[in-house]
Amino acid sequence: QHAKKNRLHLQIYHQQIDVNTLDRLQLVNDLKPAIEHDELVLFYQPKLNLKLNKVTHVEALVRWQHPVRGMIPPDSFIPIAEKMGQMNALTRWVIDQALSQYLQWKEQGIELSIAVNISAENLKDDQFCHYVLQAIKDKQVPIDALTLEITEDAVVADPEYAIKQLTELRQQGLTLSIDDYGTGYSSLAQLKQLPVQELKIDKSFVQNLMVNEDDQIIVSSTLQLAHNLGLKVVAEGIEDEGSLKWLTQRGCEMGQGFYLSRPIEAKALTTWLSQSAYS
Ligand code: C2E
Ligand code: MG
Ligand code: MG
Ligand code: MG
């Protein structure tokens, strides 16, 4: 009960901070040149396949290396980028970068499929599908090189159009994933109307799994429901060995979290992988 209250409080607090910071720092003006001048950088976090005990996927998470302000986390600039109509440029940059990285790893004999986060603005863009499919074609990467992670709030603005775009991407063979499951207001039955194959349980239910019985109930019911609906499940926010074991025992397909690795730069991930038991 207490943990739940904290969770809610934290989310509200976080949003307020974001808006203020954005106004104060006037990051908006800087973002467009930042994309052009390569100030953005992708970090990668492993997604461990719990059946194979092997890292088969990574999630690409953007950071902004601001020349004056230093490293800015995505939660501090993605919301402005959304408001200021910069998300199409940003996501295109992320996709290009991720596919190039896929090829670099492939050259080194490392096969890692990359998950990219997409936002509401992207799904409203009528060129989005075309851009993604063309990028895959141009770079000559297999369609399963890329997974798209979508939060439910990216869909609620215009569900019909979003479903149209996602269906087209799915028909071409892309893997689609629902991100941050459990933090929004949609039921799984509603979300299942999206053409998705994967569900990511939000980290707020996973981080305290070993000490919070409510979270255990929520996560095991979600696993059952998702599996009955034919979805694979990724647990994000695994911070200890106990949670990793708990999830593996209950048939969760994939796990991601600081216990395995924080998001790190591509080179560091290559090193991490070569030294880990999971390659
Ligand atoms: P997300 O897609 O849900 O990504 C997972 C976030 O949880 C990442 O935060 C990651 O560092 C963090 N995380 C992973 N494991 C753990 C853990 O064990 N403990 C804790 N406390 N946190 C963990 P990050 O990198 O700060 O990204 C935050 C959010 O920003 C992402 O949440 C995503 O919604 C958004 N984002 C990041 N990159 C992009 C991007 O390229 N495009 C879009 N549209 N959104 C992005
Ligand atoms: Mg994500
Ligand atoms: Mg998430
Ligand atoms: Mg998130």
Side-chain angles (χ1 to χ4, degrees):
Q1 188 117 44
H2 198 235
K4 270 185 201 155
K5 269 184 198 150
N6 278 340
R7 193 144 68 208
L8 189 59
H9 177 73
L10 270 173
Q11 278 181 359
I12 292 162
Y13 184 63
H14 199 76
Q15 277 169 10
Q16 280 171 351
I17 292 267
D18 261 1
V19 172
N20 292 337
T21 326
L22 301 184
D23 285 346
R24 240 190 1 250
L25 300 183
Q26 291 190 303
L27 288 176
V28 189
N29 295 326
D30 298 355
L31 186 56
K32 211 173 159 207
I35 298 172
E36 285 156 10
H37 298 147
D38 268 348
E39 285 173 25
L40 299 183
V41 57
L42 287 186
F43 276 36
Y44 297 89
Q45 186 179 36
K47 287 167 93 170
L48 177 66
N49 182 320
L50 299 175
K51 311 259 177 206
L52 304 175
N53 213 29
K54 187 178 150 100
V55 174
T56 49
H57 291 68
V58 291
E59 178 173 8
L61 295 153
V62 72
R63 276 95 179 93
W64 181 0
Q65 277 172 332
H66 194 284
V68 179
R69 304 182 198 282
M71 191 77 92
I72 307 176
D75 285 334
S76 302
F77 66 91
I78 298 276
I80 345 168
E82 286 270 0
K83 278 198 195 110
M84 305 310 290
Q86 310 262 9
M87 275 320 284
N88 288 324
L90 192 141
T91 303
R92 285 169 190 217
W93 180 89
V94 171
I95 287 172
D96 290 348
Q97 198 71 22
L99 294 182
S100 300
Q101 187 56 55
Y102 172 88
L103 290 173
Q104 276 190 45
W105 273 323
K106 191 152 192 209
E107 257 176 43
Q108 300 169 41
I110 301 165
E111 188 115 7
L112 285 174
S113 180
I114 303 183
V116 161
N117 293 283
I118 66 168
S119 74
E121 284 307 304
N122 300 136
L123 291 180
K124 286 183 209 151
D125 171 15
D126 61 2
Q127 293 301 305
F128 181 67
C129 274
H130 175 74
Y131 188 86
V132 175
L133 297 171
Q134 194 62 44
I136 288 172
K137 226 171 152 185
D138 287 347
K139 288 225 158 66
Q140 297 184 292
V141 301
I143 199 86
D144 59 6
L146 195 65
T147 295
L148 299 180
E149 296 190 1
I150 306 130
T151 52
E152 61 174 279
D153 61 284
V155 176
V156 290
D158 188 350
E160 257 177 59
Y161 194 64
I163 289 176
K164 183 174 168 277
Q165 297 244 59
L166 294 175
T167 302
E168 195 178 329
L169 291 165
R170 180 60 205 143
Q171 279 168 353
Q172 299 294 324
L174 257 97
T175 304
L176 305 176
S177 176
I178 297 169
D179 206 349
D180 298 351
Y181 175 70
T183 59
Y185 297 100
S186 313
S187 69
L188 193 44
Q190 288 168 313
L191 291 172
K192 188 59 181 64
Q193 292 172 13
L194 304 172
V196 296
Q197 298 79 60
E198 181 182 284
L199 184 84
K200 295 188 80 172
I201 302 182
D202 189 68
K203 57 179 176 288
S204 58
F205 304 104
V206 178
Q207 278 170 314
N208 304 311
L209 202 50
M210 290 301 91
V211 291
N212 189 317
E213 262 179 61
D214 286 354
D215 286 346
Q216 292 185 7
I217 292 165
I218 292 167
V219 172
S220 46
S221 331
T222 303
L223 275 164
Q224 270 189 24
L225 191 54
H227 286 157
N228 288 340
L229 289 169
L231 298 171
K232 291 192 170 160
V233 180
V234 183
E236 63 174 32
I238 300 175
E239 295 189 353
D240 57 81
E241 192 186 6
S243 303
L244 183 71
K245 286 199 170 139
W246 191 95
L247 289 157
T248 307
Q249 279 162 7
R250 280 158 188 80
C252 185
E253 279 82 4
M254 282 204 202
Q256 182 180 352
F258 291 175
Y259 174 70
L260 295 161
S261 168
R262 287 182 179 257
I264 47 180
E265 285 192 86
K267 258 194 189 159
L269 192 104
T270 312
T271 308
W272 177 86
L273 204 58
S274 70
Q275 291 167 354
S276 87
Y278 306 123
S279 57

